[in-house]
């Protein structure tokens, strides 16, 4: 993991960043649907689990976009990580609570998939909010709501924080008009990413779902 500081005086987003960090302090959520018709067919053919597969898609696209790897170092300097890992939720069926664990991202799908499978098995019965220890900050929060195919999702907090990474959630997939789609929501800090950046990320996720040849990597 490497943190790359940004020279804000030379940064093309200087004015946008300062405006949305200091004045408007805006964050926004976009909810859309991802067509997973082709992806789901390939997953079933290969007898894979959907959750680790979709985590890979999300993180592969996150790691292609600097805007969604932003943060601060220990000295409070703005910058971005060269790589981010998924911090994702697992559900405990016995007491209906969840835990947040993480897995190391790898560009190879097969390696990433096995890593997630191993981590989920290791921590499936460990209770608590954060159950796998971590020290760094380069983790993208991802959660799944498999009980509901929602049309909108919003977040609310009562205190300010310096989190610049996005928060992602997706829900129950459903079939309609010969297609299968799932709701996908992303919560973004406007200081580092505009509508253009978020729409680009969503399109990249859709492209990967449409052409899942990367399942062979």
């Amino acid at each position: 993991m490497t943190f790359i500081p940004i020279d804000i005086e030379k940064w093309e987003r200087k004015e946008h960043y300062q405006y949305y960090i200091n004045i408007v302090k805006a964050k926004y959520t976009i909810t859309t649907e991802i067509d997973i018709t082709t992806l789901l067919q390939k997953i079933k053919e290969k007898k894979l689990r959907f959750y680790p597969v979709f985590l890979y898609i999300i993180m592969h696209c996150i790691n292609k976009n600097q805007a969604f790897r932003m943060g601060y170092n220990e000295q409070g300097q703005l910058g971005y990580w060269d790589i981010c890992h998924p911090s994702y939720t697992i559900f405990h069926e016995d007491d209906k609570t969840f835990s947040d664990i993480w897995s190391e991202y790898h560009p190879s799908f097969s390696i990433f998939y096995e890593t997630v499978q191993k981590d989920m098995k290791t921590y499936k019965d460990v209770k608590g909010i954060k159950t796998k220890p971590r020290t760094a900050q380069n983790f993208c929060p991802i959660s799944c709501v498999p009980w509901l195919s929602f049309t909108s999702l919003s977040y609310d907090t009562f205190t300010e924080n310096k989190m610049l990474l996005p928060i992602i959630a997706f829900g129950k997939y459903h079939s309609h008009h010969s297609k299968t789609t799932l709701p996908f929501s992303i919560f973004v800090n406007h200081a580092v990413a505009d509508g253009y950046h978020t729409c680009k990320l969503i399109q990249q996720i859709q492209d990967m779902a449409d052409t899942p040849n990367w399942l062979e990597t």
Side-chain angles (χ1 to χ4, degrees), residues 11-45:
W11 192 30
E12 67 276 8
R13 286 191 59 80
K14 174 185 175 182
E15 290 187 22
H16 298 75
Y17 168 77
Q18 292 178 335
Y19 181 74
Y20 287 117
I21 279 290
N22 299 316
I23 301 175
V24 177
K25 300 182 179 181
K27 300 176 179 66
Y28 63 90
T29 302
I30 290 181
T31 302
T32 187
E33 286 198 325
I34 303 295
D35 185 342
I36 59 167
T37 309
T38 302
L39 176 67
L40 198 59
Q41 180 182 350
K42 293 295 183 182
I43 289 174
K44 290 179 178 179
E45 288 176 3

Side-chain angles (χ1 to χ4, degrees), residues 6 28 30 37 71 102-103 109 111 121 135 138 181 191 202:
I6 286 177
Y28 63 90
I30 290 181
T37 309
W102 66 275
S103 294
F109 167 71
I111 295 175
K121 182 178 180 180
T135 56
N138 58 328
T181 63
I202 291 171

Side-chain angles (χ1 to χ4, degrees), residues 28-176:
Y28 63 90
T29 302
I30 290 181
T31 302
T32 187
E33 286 198 325
I34 303 295
D35 185 342
I36 59 167
T37 309
T38 302
L39 176 67
L40 198 59
Q41 180 182 350
K42 293 295 183 182
I43 289 174
K44 290 179 178 179
E45 288 176 3
K46 292 181 172 294
K47 299 180 180 179
L48 298 171
R49 296 180 64 184
F50 183 82
Y51 195 16
V53 171
F54 205 63
L55 285 176
Y56 176 80
I57 292 178
I58 293 171
M59 292 312 304
H60 185 80
C61 294
I62 288 290
N63 280 305
K64 289 172 64 177
N65 292 272
Q66 177 183 310
F68 297 104
R69 290 182 278 116
M70 302 288 293
Y72 302 96
N73 61 15
E74 294 179 353
Q75 291 72 44
Q77 186 174 9
L78 177 69
Y80 60 95
W81 287 280
D82 62 336
I83 189 170
C84 279
H85 307 290
S87 174
Y88 56 95
T89 55
I90 56 174
F91 186 68
H92 303 297
E93 187 63 43
D94 57 347
D95 62 3
K96 314 304 181 189
T97 63
F98 74 91
S99 295
D100 186 5
I101 65 173
W102 66 275
S103 294
E104 184 175 351
Y105 171 75
H106 195 283
S108 165
F109 167 71
S110 59
I111 295 175
F112 178 82
Y113 185 86
E114 291 303 319
T115 300
V116 172
Q117 289 275 76
K118 180 179 178 182
D119 286 333
M120 292 179 72
K121 182 178 180 180
T122 299
Y123 292 93
K124 66 183 180 65
D125 296 320
V126 182
K127 306 296 178 65
I129 292 291
K130 306 287 184 181
T131 53
K132 182 179 179 181
R134 63 187 187 186
T135 56
Q137 300 296 321
N138 58 328
F139 296 95
C140 178
I142 303 171
S143 61
C144 178
V145 187
W147 311 279
L148 179 68
S149 184
F150 54 81
T151 57
S152 181
L153 179 68
S154 62
Y155 296 87
D156 186 25
T157 58
F158 294 97
T159 58
E160 292 186 27
N161 63 70
K162 290 188 175 183
M163 183 172 177
L164 300 179
L165 290 167
I167 300 175
I168 294 172
F170 58 95
K172 179 181 180 181
Y173 56 75
H174 62 286
S175 297
H176 56 108

